[in-house]
Amino acid sequence: MLEQMGIAAKAASYKLALLSSREKNRVLEKIADYLEAQAEEILLANEQDLLEARRNGLSDAMLDRLALNPARLTAIANDVRQVCKLADPVGQVIDGGLLDSGLRIERRRVPLGVIGVIYEARPNVTVDVASLCLKTGNAAILRGGKETWRTNAATVKVIQQALEECGLPAGAVQAIESPDRALVNEMLRMDKYIDMLIPRGGAGLHKLCREQSTIPVITGGIGVCHILVDDSAEIDPALKIIVNAKTQRPSTCNTVETLLVHQGIAQRFLPALSKQMAESGVTLHADEQALALLQNGPAKVEAVKAEQYDDEFLSLDLNVKIVAGLDDAIDHIRQHGTQHSDAILTRTLRNADRFINEVDSSAVYVNASTRFTDGGQFGLGAEVAVSTQKLHARGPMGLEALTTYKWIGFGDDTIRA
């Protein structure tokens, strides 16, 4: 089955690579319209997925990731329309010039070919990936989690309908609907057909892909994100940022998981934090020093466990640790962070500069929420993933990250001397 999907995707990729921006946008506009016109079928499928997920005891965080409603589906359709408005990178000349040999050379962006994406309970990923791949002339093979198979199937059916009505092969976007995990292992070895693989899920999935895949893998999306409250920070603005970073949508990878508080501000800051976190329904997990300052406050607090510094809560839980200074904070982030998103709240330019230069994450913020690490927020349109790697793509992956380039040489009967 998968080999037939691979053959169809590769064949489709050759046709997609030749489309003009106008032709690609026409497909995307039709997909957006159909998502709204056929919302009832997609939402019904999602409702069935949610019922089964609840029966299977899925966590609230996972249920939130899985759930669709009319507003979320409309937002997904509008993300597709936003991709239509973005500049098409395919065909862009990156650089070039005339060589001494007389050869005129240029480096031009081209599609990667076929993108494989393995993801868990995130039905919006289906549309995000499809729209970005189609905009860049790539075919896509999608393997969503077993929790979302009905939603994904209904969504891909709509996408394929739009493709065929525009005279393009349905094989341009395909989904593996079977929950059989053996198919994931088979997919990891489809290097004959898939040019790049993107896992979007937990640490176990990323480890499996890194160790077993014969296809180049882009990993990321695991966010043990930190915020450092410097001793020069202003308390009220800092609390506003922390509330946003923790509570706006706790189940996302750019949510803050650990708060590092400079010892010089801890006695003034932590009582105010406790009050704010109690109002926001956040449970605090504090180190020994912080616990002493928090245990008489209104927020629920307990002693932090060592392993909690290395995991995503994806819920209304927050680690709190007092640090001796910037060096201590940076050391903690280097030891426990996932190079996703980290922030400093400060009024000291020198400390801001040091944090930017010494924290090696894909996104670093000064006096801003970590929740901004998102393709839409960065002006990239819908993202295909957030890469925490350093090769090819880093941070939110938009259109350019789904292209490669080829060297083109123009001669005048030119030969090498």
Side-chain angles (χ1 to χ4, degrees):
M1 178 188 78
L2 287 194
E3 182 158 8
Q4 291 305 311
M5 292 179 71
I7 291 169
K10 183 62 77 174
S13 73
Y14 297 139
K15 294 187 177 181
L16 294 174
L18 302 177
L19 296 179
S20 66
S21 296
R22 185 175 180 178
E23 289 170 318
K24 289 185 281 191
N25 286 340
R26 179 170 170 256
V27 178
L28 294 175
E29 287 163 1
K30 195 172 284 290
I31 289 171
D33 291 343
Y34 281 7
L35 286 171
E36 292 179 326
Q38 301 183 37
E40 188 175 342
E41 291 89 339
I42 296 171
L43 293 174
L44 179 60
N46 185 249
E47 199 174 296
Q48 293 172 329
D49 282 336
L50 281 169
L51 282 171
E52 185 170 333
R54 289 190 186 98
R55 283 198 298 267
N56 293 334
L58 244 66
S59 68
D60 289 343
M62 289 296 283
L63 287 170
D64 180 59
R65 289 187 174 200
L66 169 56
L68 284 179
N69 55 42
R72 283 189 180 181
L73 195 54
T74 296
I76 290 169
N78 286 334
D79 283 341
V80 178
R81 295 186 179 103
Q82 180 62 33
V83 173
C84 293
K85 299 175 183 177
L86 299 173
D88 184 354
V90 175
Q92 173 192 344
V93 176
I94 302 170
D95 52 31
L98 185 64
L99 305 179
D100 291 342
S101 62
L103 189 70
R104 182 167 62 85
I105 199 163
E106 66 180 37
R107 202 156 50 106
R108 187 183 298 176
R109 289 196 184 279
V110 296
L112 281 162
V114 179
I115 311 295
V117 184
I118 304 172
Y119 53 105
E120 294 177 350
R122 295 291 292 271
N124 63 296
V125 174
T126 304
V127 182
D128 289 349
V129 170
S131 61
L132 287 170
C133 285
L134 292 172
K135 179 76 175 191
T136 48
N138 293 294
I141 296 177
L142 313 174
R143 202 282 186 178
K146 64 180 183 297
E147 302 87 0
T148 58
W149 75 267
R150 297 177 185 86
T151 309
N152 293 338
T155 305
V156 169
K157 182 180 177 182
V158 169
I159 293 169
Q160 291 181 336
Q161 182 183 345
L163 284 164
E164 290 178 329
E165 289 196 13
C166 291
L168 295 171
V173 178
Q174 300 173 82
I176 300 170
E177 296 177 15
S178 170
D180 187 352
R181 291 187 66 85
L183 294 176
V184 173
N185 292 323
E186 187 179 340
M187 184 179 179
L188 296 181
R189 289 166 172 76
M190 290 177 63
D191 53 281
K192 184 177 179 181
Y193 306 109
I194 298 175
D195 297 285
M196 186 172 76
L197 188 69
I198 303 172
R200 291 186 57 159
L205 173 61
H206 287 256
K207 184 173 185 289
L208 174 71
C209 292
R210 283 195 303 270
E211 293 178 352
Q212 302 295 326
S213 178
T214 59
I215 306 163
V217 178
I218 296 284
T219 58
I222 300 172
V224 179
C225 303
H226 301 78
I227 291 180
L228 167 62
V229 182
D230 185 272
D231 59 347
S232 67
E234 295 179 20
I235 291 177
D236 287 344
L239 290 173
K240 183 179 178 181
I241 290 170
I242 293 162
V243 168
N244 178 263
K246 181 73 260 183
T247 70
Q248 200 225 14
R249 196 170 177 194
S251 63
T252 58
C253 60
N254 53 21
T255 294
V256 65
E257 303 292 10
T258 296
L259 188 66
L260 304 173
V261 181
H262 192 291
Q263 63 183 8
I265 199 176
Q267 286 193 337
R268 291 183 292 119
F269 181 77
L270 291 183
L273 176 73
S274 180
K275 181 176 182 294
Q276 185 63 69
M277 293 299 100
E279 292 175 4
S280 301
V282 175
T283 297
L284 301 176
H285 304 262
D287 76 340
E288 187 176 354
Q289 283 183 279
L291 188 62
L293 295 172
L294 288 166
Q295 59 189 1
N296 293 324
K300 183 180 178 182
V301 61
E302 55 190 52
V304 68
K305 299 173 183 175
E307 61 270 19
Q308 289 174 323
Y309 287 130
D310 298 306
D311 292 332
E312 293 177 296
F313 282 115
L314 303 176
S315 59
L316 290 174
D317 292 85
L318 179 66
N319 296 322
V320 182
K321 177 181 173 65
I322 293 177
V323 292
L326 195 56
D327 289 335
D328 193 11
I330 291 170
D331 286 344
H332 180 94
I333 293 170
R334 287 174 178 171
Q335 183 176 351
H336 300 284
T338 53
Q339 298 184 307
H340 193 293
S341 303
D342 298 291
I344 183 172
L345 310 183
T346 183
R347 291 294 184 260
T348 304
L349 183 60
R350 179 177 176 274
N351 287 350
D353 285 342
R354 277 198 62 199
F355 193 87
I356 290 168
N357 293 329
E358 297 181 37
V359 173
D360 186 19
S361 296
S362 64
V364 181
Y365 297 93
V366 177
N367 298 327
S369 170
T370 56
R371 284 282 291 126
F372 281 104
T373 307
D374 173 87
Q377 294 294 318
F378 278 16
L380 304 177
E383 71 189 30
V384 68
V386 176
S387 169
T388 54
Q389 294 184 175
K390 297 185 180 181
L391 297 180
H392 171 58
R394 200 174 195 205
M397 292 175 60
L399 296 176
E400 285 189 5
L402 296 182
T403 66
T404 183
Y405 57 82
K406 64 171 63 172
W407 291 98
I408 302 169
F410 297 92
D412 184 15
D413 301 328
T414 306
I415 61 173
R416 179 171 173 172

